[in-house]
Amino acid sequence: MLRLTELRLPLDHSEPALRAAAVARLGIADADLLDLQIFRRGYDARRKNAIQLVYTLDLALRNEATVLRRHQGDRHVGAAPDTTYRPVGHAPAGFARRPLVIGAGPCGLLATLLLAQMGFRPIILERGKVVRERTKDTWGFWRRSELHPESNVQFGEGGAGTFSDGKLYSQISDPEHHGRKVLEEFVKAGAPEEILYVSKPHIGTFRLVTMVEHMRRTIESLGGEYRFGSRVTDLLIDTAPDGARQVRGAALADGTVLESDHVVLAVGHSARDTFEMLERRGVYVEAKPFSIGVRIEHPQRMVNECRFGPAAGNKLLGAADYRLVHHCRNGRTVYSFCMCPGGRVVAAASEPGRLVTNGMSQYQRDERNANSAIVVGITPEQDFPGGPLAGIALQRQLEEAAFRAGGGNYHAPAQTVGDFLAGRPSTALGEVMPSYMPGVTPAALEDFLPDEAVAAIREALPAFDRQLRGFARGDGVMTGVETRTSSPVRVKRGEDRQSLNTRGLFPAGEGAGYAGGILSAAVDGIKTAEAVARSLLGASVPARAA
């Protein structure tokens, strides 16, 4: 196969035009092109009146070697890489050392799937419920303010990514095509095949639910075992003969003890009690930077027109997104995060008396508002000194203040952009109707955000308006508080992916501080499963890049 990149065609090109363009670009006869597959399709919208689709194609040719020689030195023509995933090994028959995986989010799910595919019969422990029961509890919270601390946006089968836009793209380097393996597994589980080739793939909440169920059935068919309602309250750790700390299993809230010398820690960024347990048990944990802010909403139609001009509404382009960054005079950086086109702002609390926002979209992205988090980066040194868990304490403080500002009933405090920029509390809202459920209370963001964050966001909004006209419109709605952008801690690991000071413990994914989003967490789960397999099978198995 030959790979051809950066092939550009007009947005409204016909289907035969793609083949014709590939033939012309390579200078071959049409009969010499035996097969054409789209590996990636993106778009270039810098010129709104002449938006182009940008293709990467894998082509089967009659005289491939001749064509490659003729285009030697052309960086857009080369041999297609082999993206086939190959596991690092397989458990021998009767292998009895079953690994434990704590957490059934994207990281834990893919780690468990890969370990099951390699024959290790893993046990996955999830503190929450199966995904459909969890969905009922979550919608009950949104509609009736009835919070279930173990079954909500943060906890339960599928992890926090289940109630999101379902974005499947990231900035991670992936030379060994682990990301491709993730996407292929998702397609097997029911995701649309387009996620394999569109430049910004997404799935949406409802499709994620059915995919998670399908993957559970696959894992169980391969000998894996799920245990729901299984909150881990302690790790069993002893001293090995060589003097090293060695994990020996996990204790659950119901008193059950499971023995294992290989434990994957794939908890999400909201597993605060787990982080507290890790610190008590002497596992090396450190504070890490994260970001805080609010959700902002605008009409999706406005965003589409700003980004795509006359092509707004084109089905191939879909609902437009954006990515904005501003470096402030006070040294802070403000940026958009987790942008959800055609979606809604959702209640994402996991602890009583605390309020958290997040965003989600369905696959169609067809609701009236666009939303994203507008957040300010904060650091342990500058903003929350005092130990590994100081970031958690700050998150709780902000969430409690937002809860009070919203009225103490899980309604979120909201302020219009115009009122925020003018420094006055909102008493009413405008044309942009907030999507947050259970509801919003007009308020002032200053009631719960730190002064430095307020000043930074006030400076950033007009700058964002210069990049995306209408961003600082007076009736845009800002809802808070957004605190769960990433984990406030990192459970440090070495090159072998094991804890720095506790052998057999494999911290992984977003909660451990090594991922941000569904795809990067899933890839980290696969790489961690490979590390577990190498450890279980012995040093004869070659290591891959970490």
Side-chain angles (χ1 to χ4, degrees):
M1 294 285 279
L2 177 147
R3 178 160 293 177
L4 175 62
T5 65
E6 283 291 314
L7 188 66
R8 293 171 173 263
L9 281 85
L11 177 61
D12 59 353
H13 75 79
S14 65
E15 187 174 343
L18 182 60
R19 180 184 179 94
V23 166
R25 175 68 177 78
L26 296 175
I28 61 175
D30 184 81
D32 290 336
L33 177 54
L34 306 179
D35 187 42
L36 180 154
Q37 298 175 16
I38 300 174
F39 182 79
R40 181 78 70 238
R41 186 191 72 212
Y43 59 80
D44 183 346
R46 287 174 293 182
R47 296 173 58 198
K48 297 181 180 63
N49 291 317
I51 296 176
Q52 293 180 312
L53 295 179
V54 185
Y55 289 93
T56 296
L57 304 176
D58 285 346
L59 309 170
L61 307 179
R62 179 168 283 123
N63 301 302
E64 181 179 312
T66 301
V67 174
L68 283 172
R69 283 195 300 271
R70 189 163 68 243
H71 289 272
Q72 189 174 5
D74 186 338
R75 63 189 181 93
H76 296 303
V77 180
D82 183 2
T83 60
T84 304
Y85 179 79
R86 295 176 177 83
V88 298
H90 199 278
F95 195 82
R97 298 168 66 192
R98 301 182 71 181
L100 299 180
V101 178
I102 304 174
C107 179
L109 183 59
L110 267 295
T112 304
L113 177 64
L114 194 68
L115 288 167
Q117 289 174 342
M118 291 189 288
F120 289 104
R121 300 184 305 115
I123 300 172
I124 185 168
L125 306 173
E126 170 54 53
R127 66 190 296 166
K129 299 180 181 180
V130 295
V131 68
R132 290 201 183 267
E133 291 182 24
R134 173 198 181 195
T135 300
K136 292 178 183 177
D137 291 339
T138 300
W139 279 92
F141 177 43
W142 294 345
R143 290 169 175 160
R144 299 182 297 276
S145 297
E146 297 173 355
L147 175 64
H148 294 259
E150 299 294 338
S151 183
N152 47 60
V153 167
Q154 309 297 347
F155 299 142
E157 185 180 19
T162 305
F163 298 97
S164 73
D165 187 51
K167 296 176 186 65
L168 297 176
Y169 46 94
S170 75
Q171 313 247 342
I172 59 173
S173 175
D174 191 24
E176 295 182 354
H177 311 293
H178 292 91
R180 185 74 177 183
K181 165 72 169 172
V182 173
L183 296 181
E184 289 174 349
E185 292 294 346
F186 283 174
V187 170
K188 290 179 188 176
E193 287 196 24
E194 69 178 35
I195 70 171
L196 295 173
Y197 62 83
V198 295
S199 60
K200 295 182 178 181
H202 72 282
I203 299 176
T205 289
F206 287 165
R207 292 194 179 213
L208 280 165
V209 168
T210 59
M211 287 167 49
V212 165
E213 291 178 318
H214 186 283
M215 296 177 79
R216 185 205 320 150
R217 291 192 293 270
T218 300
I219 288 168
E220 290 174 335
S221 72
L222 294 169
E225 179 183 344
Y226 274 77
R227 297 196 182 190
F228 292 101
S230 297
R231 180 167 59 90
V232 173
T233 56
D234 201 3
L235 292 177
L236 310 182
I237 300 173
D238 69 14
T239 303
D242 61 1
R245 285 163 49 94
Q246 171 68 52
V247 72
R248 295 299 183 190
L252 308 183
D254 65 2
T256 302
V257 173
L258 297 173
E259 295 183 358
S260 177
D261 54 9
H262 288 74
V263 177
V264 176
L265 184 73
V267 298
H269 55 40
S270 297
R272 294 165 171 172
D273 52 354
T274 303
F275 301 141
E276 291 165 350
M277 177 271 290
L278 293 173
E279 188 190 36
R280 287 196 308 271
R281 300 294 279 126
V283 176
Y284 188 91
V285 179
E286 65 182 17
K288 65 173 277 295
F290 62 103
S291 299
I292 58 172
V294 295
R295 283 270 153 185
I296 192 166
E297 292 188 85
H298 303 94
Q300 181 63 48
R301 184 181 67 241
M302 181 199 87
V303 179
N304 292 345
E305 292 171 353
C306 286
R307 294 280 284 114
F308 298 145
N314 185 286
K315 289 185 179 180
L316 286 180
L317 298 176
D321 61 6
Y322 56 78
R323 187 177 178 189
L324 304 168
V325 180
H326 177 69
H327 301 287
C328 299
R329 291 187 297 272
N330 67 3
R332 303 285 177 168
T333 297
V334 181
Y335 61 99
S336 62
F337 171 79
C338 185
M339 195 271 160
C340 297
R344 62 175 55 194
V345 179
V346 299
S350 57
E351 296 177 332
R354 298 185 175 113
L355 191 141
V356 186
T357 59
N358 198 3
M360 64 172 272
S361 300
Q362 299 302 344
Y363 174 72
Q364 295 83 2
R365 289 177 165 175
D366 58 0
E367 297 193 51
R368 67 178 180 271
N369 286 355
N371 78 80
S372 73
I374 299 298
V375 294
V376 182
I378 60 175
T379 65
E381 299 80 10
Q382 187 174 7
D383 301 295
F384 49 99
L389 306 184
I392 294 175
L394 176 60
Q395 286 178 329
R396 284 173 164 160
Q397 173 188 328
L398 297 174
E399 292 165 14
E400 289 168 5
F403 183 76
R404 292 192 299 270
N409 55 2
Y410 296 105
H411 284 217
Q415 188 172 19
T416 65
V417 171
D419 287 340
F420 174 73
L421 292 176
R424 59 176 177 258
S426 286
T427 57
L429 304 178
E431 180 182 335
V432 180
M433 298 302 297
S435 59
Y436 176 93
M437 296 188 298
V440 303
T441 300
L445 303 186
E446 296 175 62
D447 291 343
F448 54 87
L449 281 181
D451 293 343
E452 296 85 353
V454 170
I457 296 173
R458 277 203 179 114
E459 179 183 327
L461 290 179
F464 292 162
D465 192 80
R466 292 190 288 272
Q467 300 175 56
L468 191 70
R469 186 58 59 88
F471 201 85
R473 59 185 284 170
D475 62 352
V477 178
M478 304 169 72
T479 308
V481 60
E482 186 93 5
T483 55
R484 312 284 180 96
T485 53
S486 67
S487 180
V489 304
R490 177 171 286 113
V491 188
K492 289 204 73 173
R493 65 191 184 192
E495 292 183 3
D496 60 0
R497 293 184 166 260
Q498 298 186 54
S499 162
L500 285 184
N501 69 344
T502 307
R503 193 164 60 198
L505 180 65
F506 293 78
E510 194 159 352
Y514 290 99
I518 293 173
L519 185 61
S520 62
V523 167
D524 203 58
I526 287 180
K527 291 183 177 181
T528 301
E530 292 174 343
V532 171
R534 286 193 295 269
S535 178
L536 285 166
L537 295 175
S540 61
V541 179
R544 291 179 173 174

